[in-house]
Amino acid sequence: MVSDNTTLSIYNTLSGKKERFQPIEPNKVRMYVCGMTVYDYCHIGHARVMVGFDVITRFLRHIGYDVTYIRNITDVDDKIFARAAENGEPFEDLTARFIDAMHEDERALSVLPPDQEPRATAHMGQIIAMIETLIEKGYAYAAENGDVYYAIDKFEAYGRLSKKKVEDLQAGARVDVEVQKQNPLDFALWKAAKEGEASWDSPWGKGRPGWHIECSAMSTCCLGDTFDIHGGGPDLKFPHHENEIAQSEGATGKTYVNVWMHAGAVRVNKEKMSKSLGNFFTIREVLEKYSAEVIRYFLISSHYRSQVDYSESSLAEAQSALDRFYQAIRGLEPEDFEGKELSSEYTERFKAAMSDDFNTPEALAVMFELVKALNIARQKEASDQVRILAATLREMGDVLGILQTDPEQYFRGTTTDGMPDAEIEAWILRRKTARENKDWAESDRIRDVLAEQGIVLDDGKGGTTWRRQ
RNA sequence: GGCGCGAUAGCAAAGCGGUUAUGCACUGGAUUGCAAAUCCACGUAGGCCGGUUCGACUCCGGCUCGCGCCUCCA
């Protein structure tokens, strides 16, 4: 149950401002997010959408909403066919492989699985039915070549989401106009099969769906004609989401979506990270150097709507910041986190920050203030206070999908190369003896030996701990 | 060209019409065999020009610069 005093505001692309969120059904949120076209590995831009909407889902659930989160998989597409042909393999093999890879990346990033991941290939019936409805209602027409197009002139609100005027779009329209279209801005709902290409039977002959129609068909199928939130990456606003609205509202005659949410772009050297520019870094590539949690922290350290610059130094900085959180809980026992009592002072501020359009930077600021209080409490050995603050911090971390790792494991890292743990422990034991004998020269020599291997020793009250740099 | 978004201290990044954001980095101190971590101390930053106001980083207008979309892209 969502408490009565909860006021959640969300920026709606449709209105261009933050609005008080009002679900269609009390306590329930139905959300659809456009997912990946699976012909290659996910990059950091994809990670932003995955993590962003994961945090949104976690927070909505945290404040009591029953969330149905749907994120589709596009497994029919020109690029998929092209890549499969290049590889000389059936397209299903290609997509199966990259769906697995995507799930691996997601698990690494602690992204909770959506409730459903509908695939275009599994919804041909609904897709064809929606196209038929659009033709019946006069929003679409079948061309002689077997393609079916959406007639954008028939849909009055076309351009409302992306704030574009049809005339302006026409002025800038590309010249390679397909003659079969009534208006150059009309888009394909169904594409006639090309020679030797995978295809499905339809009333218009063998073919396959256009890109936009699958989302209209699958979202409606999973969530109903009208639902609460539709999200996606920044480059989907136009034409993809604009076309979705035209299709769904044309077919159902009802409002398609109440709140449209778009993530900000990830940039590299001031340019948008994108497949076409080729300036992308895949998630697994970055994982070779930084932990998934660092990537996740980097992505939530700026607001989901703002653009972020991806760079080595921003990841290094994310790591330093995350280290501070883990230092604060390092050495605490599991039971220190189990307390039922939380600090309302901090939880209220955290909730207020997150309720303001999911302001994660503000939420993190609250957590850092809590960390300071926790460090002071630990210094004073105020164990009750330590337990309350540690439990509070851990719960906030859970909402953001961070701080759930054992601190020692976090600092030791997961690399299997380098000096084995047992050898490190052996060195530490030798150093312990040297220190007991006040043999500082030997003690420092061992520290240097390990430092060469990237191992940093920390002498604490309870003994020496170590971490990999 | 059309439409939209942004410009905050060394770097990153938020809120807010008047009171320390926060993190990283830096400097001094406490602590430590030495370190690390931690704590204490230390920064009035808000592209430029006008306007509204008792008071503006925060509201309004103009300008400059940057970015995004207008084509497949998360």
Side-chain angles (χ1 to χ4, degrees):
Chain A
M1 277 292 276
V2 182
S3 80
D4 293 336
N5 59 13
T6 301
T7 307
L8 173 64
S9 67
I10 304 180
Y11 181 90
N12 189 349
T13 306
L14 210 48
S15 64
K17 52 191 164 210
K18 282 188 213 169
E19 296 169 354
R20 187 183 170 171
F21 178 66
Q22 286 178 303
I24 295 164
E25 206 182 309
N27 302 316
K28 182 131 185 68
V29 177
R30 296 186 184 84
M31 180 165 83
Y32 183 94
V33 172
C34 288
M36 263 55 75
T37 300
V38 282
Y39 69 97
D40 207 342
Y41 292 115
C42 295
H43 63 233
I44 300 298
H46 297 116
R48 183 134 201 236
V49 173
M50 289 187 202
V51 170
F53 285 97
D54 181 55
V55 168
I56 287 165
T57 306
R58 284 170 184 255
F59 180 67
L60 290 173
R61 288 184 176 141
H62 176 70
I63 59 175
Y65 282 108
D66 171 19
V67 182
T68 304
Y69 175 26
I70 312 290
R71 195 188 57 208
N72 75 298
I73 294 173
T74 297
D75 60 354
V76 188
D77 173 86
D78 283 340
K79 285 183 175 159
I80 290 172
F81 288 165
R83 184 67 58 89
E86 229 173 81
N87 296 351
E89 64 180 330
F91 84 97
E92 295 95 329
D93 291 1
L94 177 83
T95 55
R97 199 162 63 246
F98 285 108
I99 288 169
D100 286 348
M102 174 183 79
H103 286 148
E104 255 176 48
D105 292 341
E106 259 188 311
R107 276 195 296 275
L109 291 170
S110 301
V111 169
L112 301 172
D115 295 291
Q116 284 183 65
E117 291 186 293
R119 300 177 192 185
T121 51
H123 291 78
M124 284 299 162
Q126 287 97 331
I127 289 170
I128 290 167
M130 190 175 249
I131 297 173
E132 284 183 304
T133 305
L134 286 168
I135 293 175
E136 276 164 31
K137 293 198 172 184
Y139 287 104
Y141 56 95
E144 284 171 18
N145 62 357
D147 287 354
V148 180
Y149 296 106
Y150 189 100
I152 62 121
D153 296 320
K154 299 280 166 55
F155 188 71
E156 254 181 73
Y158 197 77
R160 196 180 48 174
L161 178 72
S162 53
K163 318 240 180 317
K164 291 181 189 304
K165 292 195 186 101
V166 173
E167 310 92 81
D168 295 342
L169 287 167
Q170 268 160 345
R174 294 294 188 260
V175 272
D176 55 323
V177 178
E178 290 158 66
V179 280
Q180 305 282 346
K181 288 185 183 177
Q182 291 173 2
N183 180 323
L185 298 178
D186 289 351
F187 56 91
L189 296 170
W190 189 262
K191 295 181 177 183
K194 288 181 196 139
E195 193 57 38
E197 221 174 51
S199 63
W200 288 259
D201 287 321
S202 83
W204 318 285
K206 284 194 175 298
R208 61 193 177 76
W211 173 36
H212 317 292
I213 191 70
E214 64 170 271
C215 283
S216 282
M218 296 191 287
S219 58
T220 301
C221 167
C222 298
L223 296 172
D225 290 349
T226 304
F227 54 94
D228 299 293
I229 299 174
H230 189 130
D235 33 23
L236 262 33
K237 216 183 287 178
F238 186 90
H240 185 59
H241 290 159
E242 200 69 72
N243 292 353
E244 271 191 61
I245 294 173
Q247 291 164 343
S248 291
E249 300 196 352
T252 68
K254 294 180 198 152
T255 298
Y256 177 40
V257 168
N258 287 146
V259 183
W260 284 89
M261 297 181 70
H262 292 93
V266 175
R267 309 192 305 173
V268 180
N269 298 325
K270 312 271 179 194
E271 264 187 338
K272 192 181 79 169
M273 183 183 288
S274 75
K275 292 243 179 98
S276 43
L277 285 172
N279 62 345
F280 60 90
F281 291 81
T282 63
I283 295 169
R284 47 196 57 210
E285 198 175 347
V286 179
L287 281 174
E288 286 171 17
K289 189 142 186 213
Y290 291 94
S291 75
E293 196 170 355
V294 167
I295 298 175
R296 193 169 168 109
Y297 181 90
F298 161 68
L299 293 172
I300 62 173
S301 64
S302 59
H303 186 87
Y304 78 90
R305 273 192 290 118
S306 63
Q307 46 189 15
V308 283
D309 266 293
Y310 171 84
S311 68
E312 280 275 324
S313 62
S314 46
L315 280 186
E317 198 178 295
Q319 178 144 47
S320 303
L322 196 55
D323 283 353
R324 180 166 167 82
F325 280 126
Y326 274 107
Q327 283 293 165
I329 54 172
R330 194 178 194 182
L332 292 179
E333 299 299 324
E335 50 267 32
D336 288 326
F337 299 105
E338 283 162 11
K340 286 271 186 288
E341 194 187 341
L342 301 179
S343 164
S344 60
E345 179 197 343
Y346 292 103
T347 54
E348 286 306 313
R349 288 175 59 201
F350 178 86
K351 196 172 134 185
M354 290 299 286
S355 296
D356 180 16
D357 197 25
F358 310 101
N359 193 335
T360 51
E362 183 70 28
L364 288 169
V366 174
M367 290 169 71
F368 278 115
E369 286 182 42
L370 185 155
V371 159
K372 184 165 205 158
L374 174 57
N375 285 331
I376 291 170
R378 289 188 71 177
Q379 223 162 42
K380 289 180 180 164
E381 296 180 9
S383 55
D384 286 351
Q385 190 65 6
V386 167
R387 272 194 287 276
I388 291 169
L389 292 172
T392 308
L393 184 65
R394 182 60 78 91
E395 179 171 294
M396 291 172 177
D398 187 37
V399 174
L400 299 181
I402 57 173
L403 301 182
Q404 306 303 302
T405 312
D406 169 68
E408 287 314 317
Q409 199 183 314
Y410 169 84
F411 286 114
R412 289 172 183 192
T414 48
T415 37
T416 43
D417 44 76
M419 192 182 279
D421 292 8
E423 196 180 334
I424 296 167
E425 301 289 353
W427 278 108
I428 290 174
L429 208 63
R430 277 179 66 177
R431 182 163 167 277
K432 184 168 180 257
T433 312
R435 292 181 75 214
E436 276 161 3
N437 297 330
K438 299 207 187 305
D439 184 355
W440 307 127
E442 173 66 0
S443 168
D444 291 345
R445 190 186 71 82
I446 293 171
R447 188 197 285 285
D448 291 344
V449 166
L450 291 171
E452 292 269 307
Q453 304 291 314
I455 312 296
V456 180
L457 299 182
D458 303 321
D459 298 326
K461 274 185 190 162
T464 300
T465 52
W466 59 275
R467 63 195 154 94
R468 287 198 172 88
Q469 257 189 337

